[in-house]
Amino acid sequence: MRHFCEWTICLLTLGLAVALFANPDDAPQTLQTRQPDVILLTIDTLRADHLRCYGDRKVETPNLDAFAASADRFAHAYTPVPITLPAHTAIMTGTYPMATGMHDFSGNKLSPDAITLARTLGAQGYKTAAFVSAAVLDSRFGLDAGFDTYYDHFDFSRLDESSLDLIERRGDQTMDLALKWLREQSGVAAAGPRKPFFLWVHLYDPHYPYAPPEPYATRYRDHLYDGEIAFADAQAGRLFADLKDRGIFDGAVIVVAADHGEGLGEHGEKNHGFFIYNSTLHVPLIVKIPGIAPRVVQSEASLIDILPTVLDALKMAVPPGVQGRSLIADMQARKIASSEPRRDLYAETYLPLLHFRWSNLRAIQEQGLAYIDAPRPELYDTRTDPGELRNLAAQRPAVAHELRAKLLSLIAKDTPGAGSGAGAQQVLTDPIMLERLRSLGYVAIGGSYADPQGKPLPDPKDRVQVYELFSEAMSDGQHGRYRESLQKLDDAEKTEPRSLPIHYLMALDYYRLKDFAHAAARFKSAIELDPKFALATYYLGLTQAQTGDSEAAAASLQHALELDPTNFAAAFDLGALLLKMKRVDDAVSAFQKAIEINPDFANAYEALGEVYLYQKRLDDAAHALERAVQLQPGFAKAHYNLGRAYQALGKNDDAQREFERARQR
């Protein structure tokens, strides 16, 4: 592993300093020999075949195409999971989901002890910064590990997975923040030698719903997904131009990748996450390493290979437990050696299982053959059938059986604690996932999952129409079309009468329509299906409060907080309800709990300040209300009550100032 010291010798004395060292290896490292900067640009939901450098002709992507011409473009790169959070976790840890337990977009948090690319580079003296564009990568999920700067800052008070995808930042705004950070690094360099940096920029724009800004909305009106890609390309161009202007581009290690693709209707899947066909697994991967000539690399690659490739380029040791491999040898070879061992690439989706109680899907891919382990197994030759339309499992059962055995062996090998001697047929997935599935009532049968009675779970292929109805209903609900959403959910329920997400989404629609009787009934039915469903319990409490059943509402909100101790909204709403019930001391405890969970929750400080005013605890009231207006300067009610507190304390000038601020808000 190479160690370096920062250059502190001015140019006037450099010649003397060099002359003093007969052995060049003993000389202090100069600015030119400082470790390369590392830039990672991930573009969400970007299909490889919708870039010109990968063969598309409908969308203009000049900046990514030019970058690909100066770098190594991997023709056959794949994500291990077509969902944003676990895919980026695979990038940052160099491991498959069974190693981290990050399989899904909800109910996950990366272990604080996980070894990440940022943590590894930070330990080697790198400054680390990330700028992400979607709440699904919020720091509460753990990907901020190792970053000095992690800019998420999304405007939400409670994560609700039915609306999580809507919380995003447009790519130009994210890029503005990243370029501002780069300017600050140049300022540091102007004052003296700077540390090398690792910068990760995440663009979310190609993710559904597709709504590109002008001129892309007009130019791509008939295929808005491509308009989003063209807009993202423009933001990538801004980054590349800035790096070139600052003299960073040529000497930096730069990686551009997508986390997954998009179904676009293939196999009946409009978006991603439900199936694991190459429409959502095949991703662009473009890597520029100084000193390696640009070329198209034909060998197969996975997103878990990014971490070891970057560390190899920097001559740093790869941490133990990393499951990816360095791609540098492939980048340096002009063609794949015939003796190269086959590469087995793993992919999975647990979305059907965890959210709909249908079978999960897992796959293995090697040299053009793709096997999907499902209730009805699938085998495709992607070289002759790139759309994966002809299932060869029945025609080539021996090949399918061999690949399934390899798949289970790979899962056993790459699952922590499984050990190489573990029986592949018995090892299903990681212990974290197994415990989660057991808590939901699943049982393991013959290498797959079943319901508590041992009945096999439905094949997602047989439920894709229900899933799409549900997805469309969720979109309707997110945009205020509650009646349309309910109609679609009613149609979906005819096939899946005991579907937890259908009951829950219908309850939310009724709640937002203020039909509280139907909402309460649906929330209760969702809780019957899963007694540990914290969000349904929380909303049931809000519904009961609306109908005047305060005691039941308080019990539900308290139980929701027990099920999910991070739900500061439940603590706050419980406090407001207890206050209405004249249980003032209990309300104070609830507001204090909300602040304990979320120290930056302005509403809780304001409510606490009001209660303290009522209790004549004037100093406590002033402190709480000062914190509220500090966190939220435009909070008129907090300014007004702070004025009341100051007035009661005899601080009349301060009181008048706060009353004026309240009027101006």
Side-chain angles (χ1 to χ4, degrees), residues 302-344:
S302 170
L303 292 183
I304 67 170
D305 299 330
I306 291 175
L307 181 148
T309 301
V310 169
L311 295 182
D312 190 11
L314 302 177
K315 304 295 189 291
M316 294 181 184
V318 176
V322 168
Q323 295 162 344
R325 66 178 180 87
S326 172
L327 300 172
I328 288 182
D330 298 345
M331 297 167 66
Q332 292 173 327
R334 296 204 172 271
K335 58 187 291 186
I336 305 171
S338 59
S339 60
E340 180 185 337
R342 288 186 176 184
R343 181 80 190 280
D344 296 330

Side-chain angles (χ1 to χ4, degrees), residues 379-646:
L379 175 67
Y380 300 99
D381 185 339
T382 60
R383 291 165 295 193
T384 60
D385 178 24
E388 295 166 293
L389 300 175
R390 297 187 296 276
N391 184 1
L392 304 176
Q395 300 174 31
R396 303 172 66 179
V399 174
H401 179 77
E402 178 186 357
L403 287 175
R404 184 174 190 273
K406 284 187 175 183
L407 170 64
L408 295 175
S409 178
L410 186 152
I411 293 168
K413 176 176 68 71
D414 288 336
T415 299
S420 58
Q425 294 291 335
Q426 283 71 48
V427 177
L428 297 171
T429 186
D430 59 275
I432 295 173
M433 176 60 81
L434 280 175
E435 185 58 36
R436 186 176 176 190
L437 293 174
R438 288 191 192 102
S439 72
L440 292 173
Y442 296 107
V443 295
I445 294 180
S448 61
Y449 296 101
D451 68 15
Q453 288 73 45
K455 182 180 178 182
L457 300 175
D459 192 315
K461 294 188 289 291
D462 298 328
R463 294 294 187 270
V464 64
Q465 291 180 329
V466 175
Y467 172 70
E468 290 299 329
L469 269 175
F470 176 85
S471 299
E472 291 172 12
M474 186 166 66
S475 178
D476 283 339
Q478 289 167 345
H479 293 88
R481 301 186 294 267
Y482 305 124
R483 295 292 180 192
E484 294 90 333
S485 175
L486 284 167
Q487 181 59 57
K488 292 182 175 72
L489 292 170
D490 186 62
D491 291 342
E493 191 178 29
K494 293 171 184 175
T495 303
E496 289 288 321
R498 290 182 54 79
S499 168
L500 177 63
I502 289 174
H503 280 274
Y504 176 64
L505 209 56
M506 292 181 88
L508 284 179
D509 286 337
Y510 282 124
Y511 179 80
R512 289 159 182 163
L513 285 167
K514 301 188 185 305
D515 184 347
F516 298 121
H518 280 100
R522 287 290 181 171
F523 283 130
K524 287 177 180 177
S525 64
I527 293 167
E528 287 174 6
L529 291 168
D530 182 1
K532 296 182 180 180
F533 194 173
L535 273 176
T537 305
Y538 168 64
Y539 276 107
L540 175 61
L542 297 184
T543 305
Q544 290 165 330
Q546 291 288 346
T547 61
D549 192 351
S550 298
E551 293 292 343
S556 293
L557 292 171
Q558 181 62 49
H559 187 43
L561 195 55
E562 292 165 359
L563 290 171
D564 179 7
T566 71
N567 190 342
F568 55 86
F572 176 81
D573 292 328
L574 178 60
L577 181 63
L578 292 169
L579 198 59
K580 186 177 179 181
M581 298 167 67
K582 303 189 184 309
R583 293 167 54 182
V584 178
D585 290 341
D586 291 337
V588 168
S589 297
F591 291 139
Q592 289 173 336
K593 182 66 176 177
I595 290 169
E596 178 187 331
I597 299 169
N598 181 2
D600 297 329
F601 192 17
N603 284 4
Y605 286 103
E606 192 283 327
L608 198 55
E610 275 200 79
V611 177
Y612 287 153
L613 269 175
Y614 170 78
Q615 294 177 323
K616 308 299 184 185
R617 296 168 58 179
L618 300 180
D619 287 329
D620 290 337
H623 289 317
L625 292 162
E626 284 166 352
R627 180 61 175 152
V629 298
Q630 179 188 17
L631 289 167
Q632 194 172 320
F635 199 166
K637 187 180 180 184
H639 281 291
Y640 174 74
N641 284 317
L642 180 56
R644 290 176 57 209
Y646 284 151

